[in-house]
Amino acid sequence: MNAFIKVLSLGFLILCCNLTIKAEPIKTISSSEKRIKIINLYELEKEAAEKLSIGALGYVKGGSEDEITLRDNTESFNRKNIIPNGLTGLNEVALKTKLFGIDLASPIILAPMAAHGLVHQEADKDTIKGTRKAGTIMSISTYSSVPIEKIAESAPNAPFFFQLYMSKDNNFNEYIIKKAKEAGAKAIILTVDSGVPGNREADIRNNYEYSVKTPNVTEFYAGKTVTQSEARAMRKLGFSAEDISYIKKISGLPVIVKGIESPEAAKIAIDARADGIWVSNHGGRQLDGAPSTFNMLPHIAKVVQKRVPIIFDSGVRRGSHVFKALANGADIVAIGRPALYGLALGGADGVYSVFQHLNKELETVMILAGTENVEAVKNNHLFDPNKP
Ligand SMILES: Cc1cc2nc3c(=O)[nH]c(=O)nc-3n(C[C@H](O)[C@H](O)[C@H](O)COP(=O)(O)O)c2cc1C
Ligand SMILES: CCCCCCC(=O)C(=O)O
């Protein structure tokens, strides 16, 4: 009998050990504040993954369905080459540029993202400190984890744009645009690619429920906690030229239409007097199988014909990607996930480190390609090995 109890206890002990080993250790949300050493942005993602819970990592890193578009976004940069040119007499290169009259240290800005509060306790407040230090623009999402005005207050004079997920309720649209404008937003980004969220299987697998606060939305509904599905149900499904005109009218700010993936959509936006076109497939998080933004960019640039600036995102992980996007028709390049990884690992200084790293890579490429400034990069001809 004694032996039987011993065997049972041993079995129970082994079971408990197994459970402990298999269960994910509880991870507290980062409060780290430091510059980070970055070898490259792919390794940065792996490092950040160690800090995030499985649910948070899946939400941030994941794309939709088979993640074909997610992968193609980065891989398609490899299909064109930058031709080295050392015979230019170049002595230095300049990365600085402007967008809507705002001085930028480089052509790289931050894309709007929800969930900064999922990866760092200071959330968007640290992000904007990081973008200000890097001399660039922060984009604040409708679903920022901190109210717009609190983000703005945490980094006085930092330029920022406000991204709007338009609601079916115009009272909400007017309320939030007014709030963003009063807080100092320099432009409105109207996202048109997310009437419904993409089918993100990582979130389903991980039973991930978006649990970060969305104070801009809850404040409007007088403190009532709005669930993820309620917030999504409020969003407009489809967009038209009238929506662009309406947002222009109520904001009186430049309006950039984000989520443009075709020449036809670019034409509609420009005809509706959009002030900027943001070429994006939402980082492969929406329609899987959509073309990579890098492949679509020249077709869109052909229609835009430099009438308004083109901002480009999705899959940018290298200075050479920034170079290629600019040479393929973009005026400005935005990054998403890498900045959240920088935030998770080092707070404001982590975000700053990410921008500095990309700027350094871009500078190296510019020197090796013999392009002295951003204008020269835009005029550079990439080599297409399939059409030699
Ligand atoms: C975690 C996460 C949250 C996002 N939230 C928003 C959002 O609130 N509004 C929006 O317009 N785009 C959102 N995006 C899309 C980004 O603005 C951007 O298009 C995309 O991340 C660029 O791809 P990249 O991450 O490969 O750089 C989000 C992306 C991620 C990864
Ligand atoms: C109610 C929160 C939904 C956040 C959606 C943010 C987003 O665009 C994403 O890609 O995720």
Side-chain angles (χ1 to χ4, degrees):
M1 186 62 183
N2 246 352
F4 180 67
I5 291 174
K6 272 185 192 158
V7 170
L8 257 186
S9 317
L10 191 67
F12 184 66
L13 199 71
I14 292 170
L15 184 74
C16 287
C17 285
N18 261 338
L19 284 178
T20 323
I21 291 162
K22 276 179 192 153
E24 191 197 5
I26 293 169
K27 290 186 176 160
T28 49
I29 296 181
S30 169
S31 56
S32 168
E33 297 288 349
K34 58 172 191 199
R35 288 205 191 172
I36 46 182
K37 180 179 173 184
I38 301 176
I39 306 297
N40 60 56
L41 297 186
Y42 307 108
E43 290 183 26
L44 179 81
E45 180 173 277
K46 289 193 187 123
E47 216 182 307
E50 304 282 311
K51 299 264 173 215
L52 303 177
S53 68
I54 289 174
L57 179 66
Y59 171 67
V60 173
K61 182 181 168 189
S64 51
E65 299 196 344
D66 299 310
E67 300 190 334
I68 291 167
T69 301
L70 174 80
R71 285 190 295 278
D72 202 35
N73 276 338
T74 301
E75 284 167 9
S76 61
F77 286 112
N78 297 334
R79 292 178 206 128
K80 283 195 182 172
N81 305 130
I82 304 166
I83 302 174
N85 187 357
L87 277 177
T88 56
L90 193 78
N91 282 318
E92 57 180 353
V93 295
L95 272 65
K96 62 182 190 311
T97 186
K98 278 178 191 276
L99 177 61
F100 299 132
I102 303 166
D103 287 317
L104 300 174
S106 90
I108 311 168
I109 67 168
L110 184 77
M113 283 176 292
H116 294 224
L118 193 62
V119 305
H120 197 279
Q121 285 177 9
E122 291 302 305
D124 314 68
K125 289 190 286 180
D126 258 13
T127 313
I128 197 168
K129 287 180 191 158
T131 55
R132 182 177 64 178
K133 194 165 176 184
T136 190
I137 295 171
M138 158 89 172
S139 301
I140 299 179
S141 165
T142 294
Y143 300 127
S144 58
S145 313
V146 176
I148 309 168
E149 66 281 7
K150 294 274 179 268
I151 302 173
E153 276 165 22
S154 65
N157 302 321
F160 70 91
F161 294 163
F162 175 70
Q163 177 269 332
L164 177 69
Y165 269 130
M166 224 175 146
S167 169
K168 289 169 187 153
D169 179 355
N170 273 341
N171 291 321
F172 175 79
N173 297 328
E174 288 174 26
Y175 158 86
I176 197 142
I177 294 261
K178 184 165 177 277
K179 219 169 109 127
K181 202 173 170 183
E182 281 171 3
K186 302 270 185 257
I188 303 295
I189 303 164
L190 175 64
T191 300
V192 297
D193 60 13
S194 304
V196 291
N199 182 19
R200 302 174 193 169
E201 292 178 3
D203 293 347
I204 302 170
R205 193 173 304 116
N206 299 331
N207 293 319
Y208 175 74
E209 247 301 302
Y210 187 94
S211 55
V212 197
K213 291 195 170 108
T214 53
N216 300 320
V217 183
T218 41
E219 272 169 23
F220 176 73
Y221 292 98
K224 179 184 175 295
T225 305
V226 180
T227 63
Q228 180 183 20
S229 38
E230 279 171 338
R232 283 180 167 153
M234 286 167 202
R235 293 216 306 242
K236 246 176 111 70
L237 284 188
F239 300 85
S240 65
E242 284 72 45
D243 296 312
I244 300 169
S245 310
Y246 168 70
I247 298 302
K248 266 186 80 83
K249 192 171 134 221
I250 63 169
S251 68
L253 290 172
V255 172
I256 309 163
V257 184
K258 176 172 184 277
I260 298 289
E261 265 268 84
S262 70
E264 294 77 16
K267 185 174 181 319
I268 293 171
I270 292 206
D271 288 350
R273 304 175 65 79
D275 301 278
I277 296 290
W278 194 308
V279 176
S280 172
N281 56 33
H282 217 97
R285 296 162 74 78
Q286 288 300 109
L287 180 60
D288 194 35
S292 74
T293 44
F294 184 64
N295 283 348
M296 286 315 283
L297 181 59
H299 303 287
I300 295 169
K302 205 169 164 188
V303 167
V304 173
Q305 288 191 342
K306 299 190 190 300
R307 284 176 287 174
V308 297
I310 296 183
I311 298 136
F312 170 93
D313 79 22
S314 297
V316 174
R317 299 294 180 268
R318 286 278 184 197
S320 59
H321 299 166
V322 176
F323 186 106
K324 289 179 184 180
L326 295 172
N328 230 17
D331 295 289
I332 296 288
V333 172
I335 53 164
R337 295 173 181 92
L340 282 188
Y341 298 141
L343 180 66
L345 291 165
D349 272 336
V351 172
Y352 170 71
S353 305
V354 168
F355 280 98
Q356 289 306 93
H357 173 80
L358 264 184
N359 288 345
K360 187 85 201 92
E361 281 192 358
L362 174 62
E363 188 183 59
T364 302
V365 176
M366 283 171 69
I367 295 169
L368 296 177
T371 46
E372 64 179 351
N373 54 32
V374 172
E375 238 3 81
V377 177
K378 289 198 220 164
N379 291 325
N380 185 273
H381 290 288
L382 299 176
F383 178 70
D384 183 344
N386 295 314
K387 294 180 202 154

